[in-house]
Amino acid sequence: MDKSSPPGDRVTFDVSAGVAEVTLNRPDKLNALDPAMFEAIIVAGERLSRMAGLRAVVLTGAGKGFCAGLDRETFASIAAGGAVPTLKDLAKRTHGLANDFQQAAYVWRTLPVPVIAAIHGVALGGGFQIALGADMRYVAPDARLSILEIKWGLVPDMSGVALMRDLARSDVIRELSLTGRVFSGAEALTYGFATSLHADPLTAARATAKEIAGRSPDAVRAVKRLLNMASDADTAAILIAESKEQAALIGSPNQVEAVRAGVEARAGRFADGGEDGRPLRARSHRQSSSTKSPGRL
């Protein structure tokens, strides 16, 4: 198992067989978000985005909860009239479309492989928004979730509004955002925020990640690219993108191996692509089709 974590101890991750397990690691504070935690989350996501051989990610929290949101020390400083330097220029874009706070959630959406959040205990405020960045959310039925920012006189500003719009009805999002009401994992499923309920979300997330890791990595990454563009692109753009992705996949080494594995009823033996994650054949006119070994973070 390859273990390589961002600076400090706020976030850890293990990588094995193409699956990275990322753990928010401040259990004594219910993994509340302080500046060091924000930095570590972003570093973890961006390191994984450059990792060769990555197939899937599981995102979880240590201890009794996923993430309780912004830590009380920061709120106390605001209440006392103290300056919080990191909150001075939120309009500044530090990571493409996003600022630092938004990137802590949005980095999981832009990661080239699927991300599964395993949610137990609490996912409140910023913690809930980080979970929204995942492709799937496996939630314990008794977990407590909330769009909590209104309680503190704030708005959800960690890319939550952009990420929520495809998951729940507008009136549900408005009611939860305007009241800050805490809701259960079971309610999250009815709203659309939970993919499925599990007594042990982490074990379920690991199982799904392992299953995804056994599929052609070229096809998995292509599916995520297509689904990421589906919310904002028009139909014409989506249709041509589908065609281009499919044309690159058909007849490529991993696609042929997927067919052979299916016909022979065995696990596929797939090669990892290059840095752009595209099928090897699709890049053959630019560089050699030789595969690269998975790297270390």
Side-chain angles (χ1 to χ4, degrees):
M1 178 174 288
D2 177 9
K3 184 171 183 177
S4 180
S5 301
D9 60 357
R10 288 290 193 263
V11 174
T12 64
F13 53 75
D14 295 334
V15 185
S16 179
V19 176
E21 187 165 310
V22 181
T23 304
L24 308 183
N25 189 40
R26 201 185 181 198
D28 57 318
K29 300 289 187 180
L30 281 176
N31 302 315
L33 302 165
D34 64 355
M37 179 73 92
F38 275 108
E39 180 183 5
I41 291 170
I42 293 169
V43 169
E46 294 184 347
R47 283 189 183 178
L48 290 170
S49 72
R50 299 187 297 270
M51 181 184 178
L54 187 66
R55 304 287 183 88
V57 173
V58 173
L59 180 61
T60 187
K64 296 182 179 180
F66 179 78
C67 179
L70 200 62
D71 71 346
R72 289 185 175 273
E73 287 78 5
T74 300
F75 285 124
S77 178
I78 294 173
V84 182
T86 55
L87 300 179
K88 283 185 176 179
D89 189 5
L90 296 177
K92 182 179 180 180
R93 304 293 90 180
T94 56
H95 296 82
L97 298 174
N99 64 27
D100 285 334
F101 299 97
Q102 293 165 333
Q103 183 69 355
Y106 204 66
V107 68
W108 308 109
R109 178 54 51 91
T110 59
L111 212 64
V113 300
V115 180
I116 308 165
I119 301 169
H120 69 293
V122 296
L124 307 174
F128 177 66
Q129 292 181 79
I130 288 171
L132 292 176
D135 298 277
M136 291 159 269
R137 282 154 295 282
Y138 287 3
V139 184
D142 61 351
R144 293 176 294 130
L145 307 92
S146 178
I147 307 168
L148 197 60
E149 285 76 12
I150 195 71
K151 176 180 178 179
W152 309 109
L154 300 171
V155 299
D157 72 331
M158 287 174 54
S159 73
V161 173
L163 294 168
M164 283 188 284
R165 59 182 170 172
D166 292 330
L167 299 174
R169 294 197 330 249
S170 176
D171 59 328
V172 171
I173 294 171
R174 290 166 190 264
E175 186 253 318
L176 295 173
S177 299
L178 291 167
T179 65
R181 178 170 63 81
V182 176
F183 52 96
S184 68
E187 290 174 292
L189 181 65
T190 66
Y191 297 151
F193 293 128
T195 304
S196 53
L197 300 181
H198 302 273
D200 185 347
L202 181 55
T203 295
R206 287 169 173 164
T208 298
K210 181 179 179 180
E211 181 177 358
I212 291 170
R215 304 296 185 184
S216 167
D218 299 340
V220 167
R221 289 176 178 234
V223 167
K224 180 156 182 177
R225 284 192 294 268
L226 286 171
L227 294 178
N228 275 357
M229 72 174 292
S231 298
D232 300 316
D234 60 27
T235 301
I238 294 170
L239 294 181
I240 191 63
E242 286 180 354
S243 299
K244 288 179 177 179
E245 294 283 6
Q246 195 78 311
L249 290 169
I250 292 174
S252 65
N254 278 343
Q255 194 269 325
V256 171
E257 170 59 13
V259 173
R260 287 175 176 165
V263 170
E264 296 169 11
R266 60 169 173 80
R269 296 185 287 269
F270 300 109
D272 291 303
E275 293 179 358
D276 60 3
R278 302 281 177 170
L280 293 173
R281 190 190 63 175
R283 303 181 299 111
S284 59
H285 67 285
R286 297 196 307 272
Q287 65 184 71
S288 168
S289 62
S290 60
T291 60
K292 298 184 179 181
S293 300
R296 298 176 71 87
L297 293 177

